Amino acid sequence: MGAIESIYLSLSSRCCHARSRTSYDVTLRSVLEKGWKMAASKVKQDMPPPGGYGPVDYKRNLPKRGLSGYSMLAIGVGVMCFGYWRLFKWNRERRRLQIEELEARIALLPLLQAEQDRRQLRMLRENLEEEAVVMKDVPGWKVGENVFHTDRWVAPLTEELFNLRPREELLHKRFGFLWYV
Amino acid sequence: MPFIDLQGKLGINIDKWMLIQGGEQPCKRAPRCHAFEKEWIECADGIGQTRAKKECKLEFEDFYECMHREKTHKRLYEIRKQRDKMVKEGTYQTPPHHTGAQADDRP
């Protein structure tokens, strides 16, 4: 079959690119085979070995390996359960730590309240004195006049405390620390 | 419906919880004007609107002032305006604790 192969190759090499077999190629090949059959046996050709080729491994090879599905599911569920257990344990510990922090805050509350009270009273006193200085020429102004009709202590507003200070301090006091965003 | 306490008969509380500031609060925190509201309600309860408007005028004005602080803000504004006028004229120097120079404000 070497001659036919060489003719086929020469024919296909006339085209500029390698291409797969088309129907034209098949018909040309069968015509050439019938015409050249008589001269095939006398020519030295590349033939298969006597007795044929050995067995060719063509069957599908899909080996069973790894864990089964059930065991993989069991391992996944087991890892999740372990994770949950660890998480719950740590959350209980965090709750205990949080309670300790709250207890510390409760213990400090008198000090914090006293500090805040002193600060507020000092600022109100300063504001009162400045008001007396500033408004002494304004007719009909009562210094330190209570806007309420009652004698109860009313918690002062931030605006009252920071009235005569630069606006930046008021903004810092109001918006400097936010619990939420 | 008036005179028919439907919510009481059914034992439910659809909207009575939101009628006053001093209702039940989460974490038991008192509202800011709780005292004023309590005084006003105790004064005005059960005597009818016409009488309440006359007799509970002071409590109502205090409650209103606590909520809206109109008089407070007006007063503060007057003081600040006068202070700025005096600073512009040059008759008043802001004391150091009001200029923002002292960063340390500890009691």
Side-chain angles (χ1 to χ4, degrees), chain B residues 30-42:
Chain B
R32 198 161 76 164
C33 302
H34 183 70
F36 294 104
E37 197 188 19
K38 190 160 173 294
E39 291 287 311
W40 180 53
I41 288 175
E42 281 172 0

Side-chain angles (χ1 to χ4, degrees), chain A residues 2 38 42 57 71 76 83 117 158 170:
Chain A
M38 277 203 311
K42 295 244 170 61
D57 192 11
S71 36
D117 287 343
T158 321
L170 170 68

Side-chain angles (χ1 to χ4, degrees), chain A residues 15-139:
Chain A
C15 308
C16 309
H17 54 90
R19 55 193 163 85
S20 58
R21 294 208 179 162
T22 61
S23 56
Y24 174 78
D25 288 345
V26 171
T27 36
L28 175 67
R29 187 179 175 81
S30 52
V31 160
L32 287 173
E33 277 176 19
K34 285 195 177 65
W36 285 88
K37 218 180 200 160
M38 277 203 311
S41 52
K42 295 244 170 61
V43 181
K44 187 162 192 284
Q45 288 180 337
D46 193 9
M47 300 295 283
Y53 287 108
V56 170
D57 192 11
Y58 69 93
K59 287 202 166 42
R60 295 168 83 198
N61 183 22
L62 301 170
K64 267 190 187 317
R65 56 176 296 185
L67 300 166
S68 73
Y70 289 118
S71 36
M72 282 202 288
L73 182 71
I75 288 174
V77 167
V79 169
M80 271 173 58
C81 289
F82 170 70
Y84 286 147
W85 171 77
R86 213 166 62 156
L87 186 69
F88 298 155
K89 220 158 83 95
W90 176 238
N91 278 349
R92 277 185 224 120
E93 181 63 30
R94 277 171 75 204
R95 190 176 292 276
R96 284 190 280 269
L97 295 171
Q98 170 76 352
I99 289 175
E100 188 183 357
E101 283 174 13
L102 290 177
E103 298 260 325
R105 181 179 168 267
I106 290 172
L108 285 174
L109 268 181
L111 175 68
L112 297 171
Q113 186 67 39
E115 275 186 356
Q116 191 191 4
D117 287 343
R118 275 197 288 267
R119 190 184 291 122
Q120 281 183 356
L121 287 175
R122 187 171 54 83
M123 290 170 91
L124 285 175
R125 183 76 209 170
E126 286 165 0
N127 283 355
L128 182 69
E129 285 167 3
E130 290 311 310
E131 187 190 337
V133 168
V134 166
M135 305 298 273
K136 63 180 181 311
D137 293 328
V138 175

Side-chain angles (χ1 to χ4, degrees), chain A residues 122 130-131 149 163-164 166, chain B residues 61-62 75 80 83 92:
Chain A
R122 187 171 54 83
E130 290 311 310
E131 187 190 337
H149 302 287
N163 189 29
L164 294 170
Chain B
E61 272 179 12
D62 279 347
R75 222 180 121 75
R80 224 177 32 240
R83 198 263 315 251
Y92 177 76

Side-chain angles (χ1 to χ4, degrees), chain A residues 138-158:
Chain A
V138 175
W141 184 267
K142 284 193 272 304
V143 177
E145 178 194 9
N146 190 7
V147 288
F148 295 99
H149 302 287
T150 175
D151 273 337
R152 261 202 307 267
W153 168 255
V154 180
L157 291 177
T158 321

